[in-house]
Amino acid sequence: MALSSVPGQQLLPLQPRQLAGMTNLPGLHEEALAAIRQLREASTALCLYGDTGVGKTHLLLWAAFADGSWAPYVDCRALPGAGDGVLDLCAAPFLCLDNIDAWAGSLAREEELFCLFNYRLDRGLPWLVSCIAPRPRWLLADWESRLTALTSYYLKRPQDQQLDALLLQISTRFGPPFAEPLRRHLLRSETRNLSTLTSLVEAFQAWLWQRQATPSVTQWRIFREQANV
């Protein structure tokens, strides 16, 4: 199965070959990242959970490409019905399933997750899953018991210091780094949803490039007014 596209999702600056160099984002899911670094060798499973926009999808996509290798990534929200070949991925050396709670309430889908769990556990095949909450009213008690037995990491929304570091790094990807006054303005006036904020920053940088302008609070306000985003 090909890598799923994720509408509206933007990658954080976690590049595939930077597995050992993540300390430049201080405090951003450090415990979860440490566990993900070891996951392929640990022959186990991890569950990331937390509110929408905290960075779960970004971590799964990063993990799928870590160390320059590739692993199947599936956004369960994009596959609402059973029988689409997800079980064909059961023998993948490493597997990332995002938003598994989108399948809660579908007995057929929960049975697929249950089968995936047993197959991979028996063979020592690592995988990484994400959801908003570990117990979103699953129908299949056997699957729920297995999911809740996994090592889980709760991802909190970044604090101002962490988000400021993230904004600085995002801004350097496609243009000059944002100065502190602009970063402070974004922290005060814009969303804390990481994927939405990243999309805004990248759209702003494209807008600046077209006008050969320098990033500033004034330019940001003009951008927001003119671009209607």
Side-chain angles (χ1 to χ4, degrees):
M1 179 178 294
L3 180 69
S4 300
S5 61
V6 189
Q9 294 285 1
Q10 298 290 328
L11 285 177
L12 295 182
L14 308 179
Q15 299 302 322
R17 296 185 182 274
Q18 290 183 339
L19 192 61
M22 304 300 296
T23 55
N24 56 339
L25 293 181
L28 185 62
H29 312 320
E30 287 179 343
E31 188 177 4
L33 277 167
I36 293 171
R37 290 187 185 108
Q38 303 298 323
L39 186 54
R40 289 177 187 254
E41 291 76 31
S43 300
T44 185
L46 294 178
C47 176
L48 307 180
Y49 69 102
D51 294 337
T52 301
V54 297
K56 301 185 298 295
T57 292
H58 307 96
L59 290 180
L60 264 73
L61 286 171
W62 173 77
F65 286 95
D67 272 349
S69 56
W70 176 83
Y73 166 90
V74 176
D75 182 355
C76 295
R77 296 175 305 181
L79 301 172
D84 49 31
V86 171
L87 286 178
D88 295 341
L89 301 173
C90 63
F94 186 68
L95 178 62
C96 297
L97 290 187
D98 203 3
N99 301 303
I100 59 171
D101 42 337
W103 290 355
S106 168
L107 188 58
R109 279 306 201 188
E110 292 184 24
E111 287 175 345
E112 287 185 334
L113 291 170
F114 178 74
C115 292
L116 277 170
F117 180 95
N118 289 335
Y119 184 95
R120 299 185 70 79
L121 178 66
D122 290 344
R123 291 160 179 79
L125 296 172
W127 62 326
L128 181 63
V129 301
S130 84
C131 53
I132 292 177
R135 296 190 175 187
R137 300 182 179 178
W138 298 104
L139 298 177
L140 192 62
D142 286 341
W143 160 242
E144 180 177 3
S145 67
R146 282 158 175 76
L147 176 62
T148 54
L150 296 182
T151 300
S152 298
Y153 291 90
Y154 173 61
L155 305 186
K156 299 180 181 179
R157 292 194 181 278
Q159 300 299 310
D160 281 0
Q161 180 183 4
Q162 300 157 356
L163 198 55
D164 181 67
L166 182 59
L167 282 171
L168 180 60
Q169 187 167 357
I170 292 172
S171 69
T172 62
R173 293 171 63 192
F174 301 110
F178 289 179
E180 185 177 354
L182 176 55
R183 301 199 309 271
R184 285 202 309 267
H185 176 76
L186 297 182
L187 290 176
R188 288 196 308 267
S189 62
E190 299 297 340
T191 178
R192 297 302 180 95
N193 183 298
L194 295 183
S195 61
T196 303
L197 185 57
T198 303
S199 297
L200 280 173
V201 168
E202 293 183 355
F204 176 55
Q205 289 174 309
W207 183 88
L208 289 171
W209 181 83
Q210 292 173 354
R211 290 157 180 79
Q212 296 297 300
T214 302
S216 66
V217 174
T218 299
Q219 293 293 338
W220 179 266
R221 287 172 174 158
I222 297 172
F223 159 73
R224 293 292 268 155
E225 291 175 0
Q226 293 184 356
N228 192 28
V229 294

